[in-house]
Amino acid sequence: MTQVTERATRLRSQAAAGISGFARNWLVFIGAVAVWELATRLAASVFFPPPSEIVATAGQLWFSGPASQLFLSETVFDHILPSIGRCLGGWAIAVVLGVGLGTALGRSRTGMEYVGPLFAFFRAIPPPTLVPVFMVLFGLGPGMQVATIIFGAIWPILLNTVDGVRSVDSVKVDTARSFRTPAPYWIGMVVLPAALPKIFAGLRLSLSISLILMVVSELIGSLNGIGHQLISSQQQFEFPLMWSWIVLLGILGYGLNAVLLAVERRVLRWQPTRNDDA
Amino acid sequence: MRSLYRNLAGLIGFFLIWEGAVRVGLVPELFVPPPSEVLSTTAQLLGQEPFIRDVIATVLAWAIALGISIAIAVPAGLLLGSIAWLRTATRAIVEFLRPIPSVALIPLVLLVVGGGPEAKITLAVYAAVWPILFNTIYALAEIDPVLMDTARACGTSRARMLTSVALPHAAPFVFTGIRMSAAIALILVVSTEYVAGASSGLGNFILEASSGGTNMDQVLAGTVVAGVIGYLINDGLERVGRRMFRWNEAVGEAAK
């Protein structure tokens, strides 16, 4: 009984700490925006418009649509959604390929010896340098962008999966073997859960790489998308517009990372010790 | 020894498949030249002064950027990691700056500092600071309290605790952050050269070679060289790390 009340008190105090921490974070954030506003108003530089102006431009840009489209403007459908789709689509393909291939290679004793150096080399290639190759292969369009994203995002996932699969506790390996666990159960219920923390570290890294490559590929060769809008607003000297795209990319990066972290916390709840590296 | 043969077999196998795919016509030769052609172009380029100059420009920008990010991020991380109120006060700002993809700032940086080497260094520093900063803060947060209490019980001064307990504990994590940052900085340097059309550098070489659409062997040669540089940096830092932190078992575990 006392244990239960103790637990409740602890939970309550944790919740209180969480809420006050949340409030403090937002207070600091609001303070920072206020300082930013003041500084930009004082500096009055055309390159750095005050945040209030950025927000006004962004609102005009994104939320000026008719009610039938939930007030979202054409820009959202023409540029933002395709960009997010390419980013997440390329990342999802990289996840499937990376985890699948990584599991297979991690279980094989000699597989990695054949392809290890090759993959280490591929990972070391800065993905933007392959944009011209993908551009002639797939043309100017989503194919090139998705290919670039997959190429950049797959290696952290693949190599982390190999690492994770390799690190399965040998007692578990022996136990499963002595019970003659069938291969699908063995992979699905022993190997992958043990590898998940490592895989998630790879997923987080590759998600931010996907976002970066989405922007790079759109900056270089695209007819629509956030990156394309960003560079064209810079070329037209529409600085508040340019800033609203930068802010949007920041929100996207923050949001995608937060969602993935929430999923990770949920999926890995059973883990006794969570190490949050990477 | 056997693993070395297998490594080589894998590499040679990949080149053979590539060569075969081009020769059979699976991939148009105009777009993706066979590796024999790419490798000979690479060898040729390595003998040419302008290309070497581009490579040096890229590597130099990378090294400067990494140096600056270490000089900023390690002290900042130590400060934020050891002073709690400072960490809380800056958390929101850090959390909102970090997720901005560094490449989104390319247009802004081009406007403010121009298209010279400063642009790529600025962007690479912006991107490379975060992994080092976060690994440093994380390392200080993870110090075994028993270690700190023991040191305090022995009457160790605050400064001594920082240099003899906290720093040695944090060093391997900081180094892992530096390794991640090294890779990111190279990506940023090459991307900026490529996107902004800088006056020199590997990215610029690739941009110029690709503009005609017919010099794909040069584009791929540039890519190969960029990959080799990246590989050497990563491998070299990994070796250095293993030597320096042989006493620490966490190195093997630390994030890649």
Side-chain angles (χ1 to χ4, degrees):
Chain A
M1 192 59 204
T2 44
Q3 261 184 337
V4 173
T5 41
E6 237 174 59
R7 192 150 172 266
T9 335
R10 204 172 62 223
L11 274 180
R12 214 172 296 137
S13 71
Q14 266 175 5
I19 289 169
S20 79
F22 185 77
R24 195 164 49 204
N25 276 348
W26 277 99
L27 269 181
V28 174
F29 174 67
I30 291 166
V33 172
V35 171
W36 179 13
E37 176 89 32
L38 263 177
T40 45
R41 286 210 180 275
L42 285 177
S45 157
V46 277
F47 297 150
F48 296 95
S52 54
E53 204 181 324
I54 298 171
V55 170
T57 317
Q60 243 281 307
L61 186 62
W62 301 323
F63 303 111
S64 58
S68 61
Q69 295 175 347
L70 295 170
F71 300 104
L72 296 174
S73 66
E74 289 300 317
T75 330
V76 175
F77 293 96
D78 290 346
H79 299 290
I80 300 177
L81 293 181
S83 279
I84 297 176
R86 287 189 285 246
C87 178
L88 289 182
W91 182 70
I93 296 173
V95 171
V96 172
L97 288 178
V99 173
L101 219 61
T103 312
L105 283 171
R107 289 317 302 159
S108 142
R109 205 158 306 195
T110 53
M112 253 335 245
E113 290 189 351
Y114 284 109
V115 292
L118 197 63
F119 285 175
F121 174 70
F122 281 152
R123 186 178 55 162
I125 296 178
T129 63
L130 280 170
V131 168
V133 181
F134 293 137
M135 213 175 327
V136 291
L137 281 179
F138 299 102
L140 262 186
M144 174 277 266
Q145 288 152 6
V146 172
T148 314
I149 291 171
I150 294 174
F151 184 85
I154 194 168
W155 308 115
I157 305 175
L158 200 160
L159 295 172
N160 268 32
T161 308
V162 169
D163 254 15
V165 168
R166 286 249 169 102
S167 65
V168 179
D169 188 12
S170 64
V171 175
K172 283 186 194 153
V173 176
D174 292 342
T175 313
R177 182 170 297 153
S178 68
F179 280 114
R180 305 203 173 186
T181 313
Y185 285 96
W186 159 239
I187 295 286
M189 310 192 68
V190 182
V191 175
L192 282 182
L196 269 181
K198 278 265 176 193
I199 295 179
F200 264 104
L203 291 186
R204 254 183 294 151
L205 186 59
S206 67
L207 187 60
S208 56
I209 292 179
S210 300
L211 193 63
I212 289 180
L213 289 178
M214 174 201 95
V215 180
V216 171
S217 62
E218 286 174 354
L219 284 179
I220 297 168
S222 177
L223 303 171
N224 66 346
I226 299 173
H228 173 257
Q229 288 296 303
L230 177 67
I231 196 83
S232 67
S233 60
Q234 183 237 25
Q235 281 156 358
Q236 288 157 12
F237 302 104
E238 301 262 14
F239 299 121
L241 206 57
M242 181 184 86
W243 273 96
S244 43
W245 291 112
I246 294 178
V247 169
L248 175 71
L249 284 168
I251 295 172
L252 268 183
Y254 184 80
L256 290 178
N257 197 41
V259 169
L260 189 62
L261 269 180
V263 171
E264 179 177 347
R265 228 169 266 145
R266 179 77 187 72
V267 171
L268 295 181
R269 217 167 32 184
W270 50 273
Q271 281 250 326
T273 51
R274 293 275 306 104
N275 59 342
D276 272 310
D277 51 9
Chain B
M1 211 50 212
R2 180 184 260 172
S3 73
L4 184 69
Y5 287 138
R6 284 186 173 143
N7 289 344
L8 281 176
L11 280 175
I12 293 170
F14 169 73
F15 280 124
L16 284 180
I17 292 172
W18 177 3
E19 182 92 34
V22 178
R23 295 268 178 238
V24 169
L26 277 177
V27 206
E29 195 175 337
L30 186 66
F31 293 167
V32 183
S36 49
E37 208 174 302
V38 171
L39 292 182
S40 73
T41 311
T42 311
Q44 237 172 50
L45 282 172
L46 285 177
Q48 287 170 8
E49 207 195 300
F51 183 74
I52 297 292
R53 217 178 280 240
D54 280 338
V55 172
I56 291 174
T58 299
V59 174
L60 203 61
W62 167 82
I64 295 173
L66 190 64
I68 296 177
S69 359
I70 294 172
I72 295 175
V74 174
L78 290 178
L79 216 58
L80 291 183
S82 45
I83 304 175
W85 63 264
L86 206 60
R87 188 165 61 239
T88 354
T90 49
R91 185 185 292 146
I93 302 164
V94 169
E95 282 299 316
F96 281 88
L97 275 181
R98 178 174 68 137
I100 299 178
S102 39
V103 288
L105 297 174
I106 289 180
L108 177 71
V109 170
L110 288 183
L111 284 173
V112 178
V113 301
E118 300 92 341
K120 50 189 176 189
I121 293 173
T122 310
L123 282 161
V125 167
Y126 180 83
V129 155
W130 306 114
I132 307 177
L133 184 70
F134 280 91
N135 271 31
T136 312
I137 295 176
Y138 172 75
L140 288 184
E142 286 291 296
I143 294 182
D144 189 352
V146 176
L147 278 180
M148 290 309 253
D149 289 344
T150 313
R152 197 169 299 138
C154 295
T156 319
S157 70
R158 255 190 94 87
R160 189 74 207 279
M161 295 235 302
L162 189 68
T163 54
S164 302
V165 183
L167 272 185
H169 173 90
F173 290 94
V174 177
F175 194 79
T176 305
I178 293 176
R179 243 179 53 206
M180 289 162 75
S181 295
I184 294 172
L186 185 68
I187 293 183
L188 257 290
V189 167
V190 175
S191 308
T192 315
E193 285 166 355
Y194 184 75
V195 174
S199 50
S200 61
L202 209 47
N204 184 53
F205 171 82
I206 291 171
L207 176 69
E208 277 173 8
S210 67
S211 61
T214 50
N215 295 330
M216 289 314 284
D217 56 329
Q218 291 195 4
V219 172
L220 282 172
T223 306
V224 168
V225 172
V228 169
I229 295 173
Y231 183 81
L232 289 179
I233 287 171
N234 203 31
D235 196 57
L237 285 178
E238 214 166 298
R239 271 163 210 269
V240 170
R242 237 179 280 145
R243 265 192 86 81
M244 272 166 62
F245 305 117
R246 212 179 278 159
W247 44 270
N248 185 304
E249 77 281 9
V251 179
E253 319 247 315
K256 290 243 160 89

